[in-house]
Amino acid sequence: MLKRILKAIQPRDEVPPASVPAGERVYAIGDIHGRLDRFDELLAMIDADNAARAPARTHLILLGDLVDRGPDSAGVIRRAMELASTRSDVRFLRGNHEELFLTALEGQAKAMRIFCQVGGRETLLSYGMSRRDYDNATFEALKEAAPSVVPAEHLAFLAGFEDSIVIGDYVFVHAGVRPGVAIEDQLPSDLRWIRREFLDHRGPFGKMVVHGHTITADVDMRPNRIGIDTGAYASGRLTALALEDTAHWFLQTKKDESTDRNAGATNATMAAQ
């Protein structure tokens, strides 16, 4: 009788753990936001981790938001371009900050204003625009001046970023997906910008979603999604998710020392997105 009762309460259709194809290994990096120092550090950690494991077909995915807020967006883009030219296993997703950057540099004053309000100032300064010129310029003037400091090849590189990547049971996106919409039918605007509708959804999405965009103090691991934006620009903690078969693990840079001393200010900055 007890065996029959226990059998009756067992889930009838247990969902198998998400996996990537056999013989493949994936490393996905969260939002970098101009932290070239942490990006280089995490790349070295990934290379060491990969070398210590059995040979596999490796994928390196950057989830977007390479630019803005941190001190060296130009350096991050240059490093990403070097990776693209020397490795065949690296892919890039376009985040909402890349979208704003491209739109602002197309000559739209309104887009330039929004871009500057969310960290574009630091991006333009990283390309060599002086603080004095930036501070004295109107958004209209910045719209005219920005193309002279940002190389066209950098913009072309960002314009080639993908909207989503599917590997096995995982879909990699920048911000998230809209519940109830098939992965292949998702709108680019949702993939780059969605937040609350995605974060609050408790049901399945069809794939395990790996995303950035929304800052959390540490990895946000849920049954239907994995968030790995750990606020590197403010905290120094840049995170990579690693996947192989049904296993997963994380690689992280250490938090900045100043973060621990000023935790309240850092948390407020993160909450402001």
Side-chain angles (χ1 to χ4, degrees):
M1 173 65 77
L2 180 59
K3 288 183 179 179
R4 287 200 297 270
I5 293 174
L6 290 174
K7 185 176 181 180
I9 64 175
Q10 291 293 323
R12 296 195 176 188
D13 297 307
E14 291 188 1
V15 178
S19 66
V20 297
E24 300 189 21
R25 185 177 302 132
V26 181
Y27 295 94
I29 298 177
D31 304 34
I32 301 168
H33 277 305
R35 288 299 299 263
L36 177 61
D37 55 345
R38 294 311 194 209
F39 186 29
D40 281 341
E41 184 180 342
L42 188 59
L43 287 173
M45 294 170 67
I46 290 172
D47 286 344
D49 184 81
N50 193 45
R53 298 177 184 274
R57 181 189 175 197
T58 302
H59 305 267
L60 177 62
I61 299 173
L62 275 63
L63 296 184
D65 280 8
L66 281 65
V67 300
D68 297 347
R69 295 180 172 153
D72 198 359
S73 292
V76 170
I77 294 177
R78 282 192 290 267
R79 183 74 74 250
M81 293 174 70
E82 290 172 4
L83 289 173
S85 67
T86 58
R87 300 176 58 154
S88 61
D89 61 352
V90 60
R91 299 171 72 176
F92 307 90
L93 292 172
R94 186 187 297 187
N96 59 309
H97 283 260
E98 280 80 35
E99 180 179 288
L100 281 172
F101 190 17
L102 290 168
T103 305
L105 269 290
E106 287 172 357
Q108 298 185 30
K110 180 179 179 181
M112 179 60 73
R113 176 178 58 80
I114 298 172
F115 169 64
C116 292
Q117 289 174 344
V118 297
R121 175 183 184 275
E122 289 76 14
T123 296
L124 293 177
L125 295 182
S126 76
Y127 277 102
M129 181 176 286
S130 73
R131 295 177 186 274
R132 180 177 179 180
D133 287 347
Y134 179 92
D135 292 341
N136 291 333
T138 64
F139 292 120
E140 185 68 30
L142 287 174
K143 178 195 74 172
E144 299 299 326
S148 67
V149 298
V150 180
E153 56 267 28
H154 283 209
L155 300 177
F157 175 65
L158 297 178
F161 284 11
E162 300 177 73
D163 294 325
S164 64
I165 297 169
V166 174
I167 299 177
D169 298 325
Y170 291 87
V171 60
F172 302 84
V173 297
H174 173 66
V177 298
R178 183 161 295 280
V181 178
I183 297 300
E184 61 272 16
D185 295 328
Q186 294 285 329
L187 296 176
S189 57
D190 283 334
L191 296 172
R192 297 172 195 156
W193 291 91
I194 198 169
R195 201 181 300 275
R196 189 50 53 197
E197 302 96 324
F198 166 66
L199 299 175
D200 289 346
H201 186 69
R202 296 294 179 261
F205 293 113
K207 298 279 186 182
M208 174 65 82
V209 181
V210 178
H211 67 95
H213 187 59
T214 298
I215 296 174
T216 49
D218 209 336
V219 173
D220 188 10
M221 188 89 183
R222 305 297 177 100
N224 56 357
R225 63 179 180 84
I226 306 172
I228 58 170
D229 180 1
T230 45
Y233 79 93
S235 69
R237 176 179 282 173
L238 182 62
T239 298
L241 164 68
L243 303 166
E244 186 171 4
D245 295 325
T246 59
H248 69 268
W249 61 99
F250 300 98
L251 303 171
Q252 289 183 326
T253 60
K254 292 183 179 180
K255 292 166 63 175
D256 293 336
E257 291 183 5
S258 59
T259 301
D260 292 326
R261 293 196 300 268
N262 302 289
T266 301
N267 290 338
T269 302
M270 289 181 175
Q273 296 297 302

